[in-house]
Amino acid sequence: MKRFFMLAVATMLAVSARADEGMWLLPLLQKMNKSALKEAGCHLSPAEIYSAGKTSLKDAIVHFGGGCTGEIISDEGLVVTNHHCGYSHIQALSTPEHNYLMDGFWAMTRAEEIPCKGLTVTFLQSMEDVTATLEKAGKKAGKDASDEEKAKAVQERRQELLDAAKKANPGCEVGIVPFYNDNVAYLIVSKVYRDVRFVGAPPASIGKFGGETDNWMWPRHTGDFSMFRVYAGADNEPADFAPENRPYQPKKHLKISLKGLKSQDYTMILGYPGRTQRFQTAPQLAQMIATNRIRIDARTLRQGIMWEAMCADPDVQLKYANKYASSANGWKKWQGEELAFEKLDIIGREQRKEAAFMDWVAEKRSRIDAYGGALTRIQEAVKAAAADENAITLITEVPFRIELVTIASRFAAAAGKGPRQDNALTPEALKMGLEAVRSYYRDYVPELDRKEAAALLAYYREQADSADFLQGLGEDFATMDIPAYVDKLFSNSVFTSAEKLGEAINGEQAAEVIAGDPASLLHRAVIAAALAHYPNYTAQAKLLQEGSRQFAAGLLEWEKGQPSYPDANSTMRLTWGHVLPYSPKDAVLYRHYSTLTGVMEKEDPENPEFIVPARLKELYRTRDFGPYADAADGMVHTCFLTNNDITGGNSGSPVLNADGELVGLAFDGNWESMSSDVMFEPDLQRCICVDIRYVLFLVDRFGGAPHIVKELDIVK
Ligand code: ARG
């Protein structure tokens, strides 16, 4: 036993010493990562993973709904992603009578697949480095050209590139995206499909098993997946929803392996990581932690009120499920980040890195002009912007979170785009406003919002600088009776329901009524408070951007010759690594996988986050696992750990084995390394994945949808 343990620790250290850090850019794999990939155990060549011209793995990966990743797993456009990525759509399709969120759903025929309004999936076509082309355009403007003239020349070249790409790729979206803090630019071509239909998902008791308690944590037992299908027009190209659209015929779909993985096995993930801060400096990181704290405290207050109302009424629970989950996800992440910053001395380590960088700059005298001032410039800008940034954060997290303000804001934004007459909104413009907010009311509970509003306004008055107090409410914010004001607000505003709003915009003096509505006044007061901070904040942000660009350029030169990857920016990346256990603290070693047994152990009928459906218990009791049990232990494995380098946006990403076959979906990070967006922690950082065998077990045995499994390409 002891020998086994020592051996396990020794191999763990040996592997983790080779840090599998990096969210690598696909077009650079060949040049930067070819041998490392092979050495790590990958059986595919870079061209099989990404190729601009030929079909490659990347053609099976989609940006799902703009914020997650999904992958194509059949030749009829079937997409799998996380349950939490499909969550808002599943919730929007659910009613108390057809509660797909709580009860789960499987379309038994194509006709039963349900269109998801507004949901898109995006396929990457190609990405091309255009940095040199743009730089050349700037230089061509001439030595004596002013900065403005140079910027204009670059801008013109950008437009030419975009126009040419648009012409060469009809029906595609094109964009030029900055990388490495604006030191590098890529031209990215992608294709967006907009008829996407819900195929199925397990009930939330499985798809979100463990709820907020287990979120960001290991050991984990969540069946975090859902399925959709991409539809296309008769020509297989993107089309608006139409009943006659056909399942999209993909260039590539992923094969699925039921073999499972052992500790130390190779894994890779292709996906769309959203944002990281790995090029940020110590002062920026300290400021990030400060604004996070403002957000955490505000959300603690708001979520507490929401949670109470949700627990008291199942209707409210369904309506607020998605609002609560997305608020709580960030709230918990920032708390973990704060703790990890402290424990792992993130800022101290960043400071030491910066000191070493400055030593290098001092040694390389020729680079002093280029990089010597970057860190000071950043530090000064962060300091000069901090008070404004904190104030804006407080405003966005507190009064702006009153839903009535959100509604008034969306209404104003949409109506503002409509026509005016004598500077007043026309009936047509008002109608545009109403249409923009109509769907919001579906999940809106005014009594809950009223409670939140009273608490949020009182909290804001306590926390805000008096200069930021809300003006123009018809009362003095500093002294007013907040509960009485909120009562009047909710009794008198027409924004509390679609009916009242509809009546008002069709009534007499509609434009005046809307402009003078107490919710409009509150919305304008909140905006005015925020706007007061913008001139300085944006001026500093510009200086910060310039300093950050220089610093990143310096870092790249400092580490020249070593492979490097830019911060995540919602573009497709590859991370490779290995299946690995970890030790969260002294004397504790976490195994690299969890099983259905753990689901049963966590069951708590008293706690809505840990309900286990009776059918799952029955399947467990009878060991009715089919081909989905692990060959070694005969049990269904639920989740597993790898050291792949991911962040938010990677949710739903395919976890692939050395042969590029799908073995799981990435869905979370672990609590002990919540600083991972800033620094990769080889010993602690893990990616939490749901095992594809659990997914298929749930579709086939639990969901009773074997026809879905038949559609898949399973390698035996
Ligand atoms: N932490 C996950 C992520 O950010 C989201 C998990 C959603 N689940 C939840 N219980 N809120 O990707």
Side-chain angles (χ1 to χ4, degrees), residues 296-494:
I296 296 165
D297 292 342
R299 290 190 184 195
T300 302
L301 173 73
R302 178 161 174 261
Q303 287 171 202
I305 300 168
M306 249 199 254
W307 187 248
E308 200 183 280
M310 287 166 73
C311 290
D313 182 345
D315 181 50
V316 180
Q317 196 192 343
L318 180 58
K319 286 182 165 156
Y320 278 70
N322 187 52
K323 289 179 207 173
Y324 186 88
S326 53
S327 178
N329 192 47
W331 172 77
K332 190 165 178 186
K333 174 181 174 164
W334 299 321
Q335 292 177 67
E337 207 166 34
E338 195 178 80
L339 287 171
F341 259 61
E342 208 35 57
K343 190 144 184 228
L344 303 173
D345 187 26
I346 298 295
I347 294 199
R349 283 157 65 194
E350 176 59 33
Q351 281 166 338
R352 289 193 283 285
K353 178 175 124 191
E354 286 165 24
F357 171 75
M358 287 310 288
D359 287 346
W360 170 78
V361 173
E363 253 168 54
K364 274 215 133 183
R365 301 205 66 84
S366 63
R367 309 315 283 152
I368 285 189
D369 280 354
Y371 309 130
L375 289 171
T376 326
R377 191 159 303 143
I378 293 174
Q379 185 175 22
E380 283 168 1
V382 169
K383 199 167 157 216
D388 293 306
E389 194 183 355
N390 294 348
I392 293 168
T393 305
L394 186 71
I395 292 165
T396 39
E397 286 288 336
V398 185
F400 206 70
R401 293 282 165 165
I402 299 171
E403 290 181 84
L404 212 48
V405 172
T406 308
I407 297 170
S409 159
R410 290 189 191 176
F411 180 97
K417 290 201 191 102
R420 283 168 183 268
Q421 200 172 16
D422 301 332
N423 211 23
L425 294 171
T426 57
E428 195 188 333
L430 293 170
K431 192 139 183 284
M432 286 164 67
L434 173 64
E435 289 320 311
V437 297
R438 197 185 281 286
S439 64
Y440 196 95
Y441 290 106
R442 189 180 170 277
D443 293 322
Y444 179 58
V445 178
E447 304 83 75
L448 171 54
D449 191 29
R450 181 195 290 242
K451 253 192 223 144
E452 286 181 31
L456 290 172
L457 287 176
Y459 182 74
Y460 184 68
R461 188 161 68 185
E462 200 180 286
Q463 298 289 320
D465 190 293
S466 59
D468 291 332
F469 278 6
L470 306 175
Q471 309 292 342
L473 304 179
E475 290 181 62
D476 181 1
F477 188 71
T479 55
M480 74 187 190
D481 176 347
I482 287 180
Y485 163 78
V486 169
D487 277 344
K488 268 191 285 175
L489 171 68
F490 279 80
S491 309
N492 298 339
S493 172
V494 300

Side-chain angles (χ1 to χ4, degrees), residues 84 208 211-212 215-216 220 224 325 329 651 667-668:
H84 77 262
K208 207 187 164 187
E212 303 312 324
N215 191 15
W216 300 113
R220 192 65 158 277
D224 198 342
N329 192 47
S651 284
F667 74 94
D668 213 353

